[in-house]
Amino acid sequence: MAVKQDISIIPSVLPVDFSQLGNAIVDLDKAGVDRIQWDVMDGVFVPNLTFGPDVIASTRSLTSLGFEAHLMIVEPDAFIEKYIAAGCELLIIHAESTRHLHRTLSKVKESGARAGVALNPATPIESIENVVDLLDMILVMTVNPGFGGQAYISSMEKKVVQACELARSVAHEIEIEVDGGISATTVAGAAAAGARALVAGSALFRHPEGLEAAVTEIRSIAAATIALQGN
Ligand code: DX5
């Protein structure tokens, strides 16, 4: 089975009060998340601007959790080494952000990081068929990237199914991740489609009972959904 089956709850730190970023990283670690996603935005690929490598590096010593950099930027090749040096062990490249996706992903692997590819809602799964041998992870965006708190696009579930089918075409393990509008009310659809890595921002940070309750709730709904399917 080349699709990783472990459920991972991955917070996006986009909703955090950035004056409290370090405390948020410590709180997320205590809340039992599996790794942390940094939404890197350059104001060009997406209409928002966020974290440079130095911001990420400043929190690296606060947790042993893995960091993934979701690179929503137009020149990803120029920043691969910088985000790895900042402490990110998984770099997510948008298929739409580089003319030479195979070369960019190869550079991520050669630099010693795991390689993920992200697909915007309009981008078909066929766009990554020729780079699947390089992939450790496929991220199916379930919102149009740039902001947190957007509505989940449920029609992306069929692309999650396609991503699982593509992952099963290779022998090595590939993680299937979704990101955008993931919450207690939407996670079942994503998990039923085959997603196992679940990125959430507002659903975690805005939960009335706090981070740990939110993480537990989303994880248990995903697990129950998968159990019902028998896989
Ligand atoms: C959107 C980001 C997402 C977003 C998720 O561009 O890539 O990670 O922060 O936030 P929610 O879970 O609130 O949709």
Side-chain angles (χ1 to χ4, degrees):
M1 190 71 160
V3 177
K4 186 172 180 181
Q5 287 305 304
D6 303 337
I7 297 170
S8 293
I9 306 298
I10 307 160
S12 155
V13 295
L14 198 58
V16 166
D17 168 359
F18 293 162
S19 72
Q20 302 298 318
L21 199 49
N23 294 332
I25 297 298
V26 172
D27 292 345
L28 285 167
D29 194 330
K30 289 176 184 168
V33 302
D34 296 287
R35 61 176 185 261
I36 290 171
Q37 184 185 92
W38 294 89
D39 282 311
V40 176
M41 301 181 186
D42 64 2
V44 179
F45 184 75
V46 291
N48 199 352
L49 201 54
T50 59
F51 315 105
D54 292 350
V55 172
I56 298 172
S58 71
T59 70
R60 182 60 277 179
S61 63
L62 298 175
T63 177
S64 59
L65 286 173
F67 284 176
E68 64 180 42
H70 177 189
L71 297 179
M72 291 167 274
I73 62 176
V74 291
E75 294 290 342
D77 293 65
F79 290 91
I80 289 170
E81 299 295 346
K82 291 181 171 71
Y83 279 96
I84 293 173
C88 298
E89 45 93 20
L90 170 56
L91 298 191
I92 306 169
I93 305 295
H94 264 268
E96 311 87 356
S97 69
T98 169
R99 286 186 182 83
H100 304 288
L101 182 59
H102 190 282
R103 177 185 291 150
T104 303
L105 292 168
S106 299
K107 186 174 176 184
V108 170
K109 303 288 282 190
E110 289 156 11
S111 301
R114 291 195 296 141
V117 69
L119 300 174
N120 285 336
T123 305
I125 199 74
E126 288 77 9
S127 65
I128 59 170
E129 283 177 349
N130 295 313
V131 296
V132 65
D133 55 317
L134 295 171
L135 298 179
D136 299 297
M137 185 262 267
I138 299 172
L139 170 52
V140 176
M141 291 302 295
T142 45
V143 295
N144 289 291
F147 302 94
Q150 301 180 87
Y152 175 76
I153 304 173
S154 57
S155 59
M156 292 300 113
E157 290 171 8
K158 61 179 176 296
K159 195 190 300 184
V160 174
V161 173
Q162 292 170 327
C164 291
E165 288 164 1
L166 183 59
R168 281 194 284 270
S169 71
V170 294
H172 73 279
E173 189 173 73
I174 296 179
E175 200 169 15
I176 306 302
E177 185 166 307
V178 288
D179 181 1
I182 298 300
S183 69
T185 56
T186 61
V187 66
R196 295 294 179 267
L198 308 165
V199 176
S202 45
L204 297 184
F205 289 99
R206 293 183 191 157
H207 195 288
E209 293 166 36
L211 279 175
E212 190 164 356
V215 172
T216 302
E217 184 180 38
I218 290 182
R219 192 188 302 278
S220 57
I221 294 169
T225 303
I226 295 162
L228 273 176
Q229 288 183 314
N231 64 9

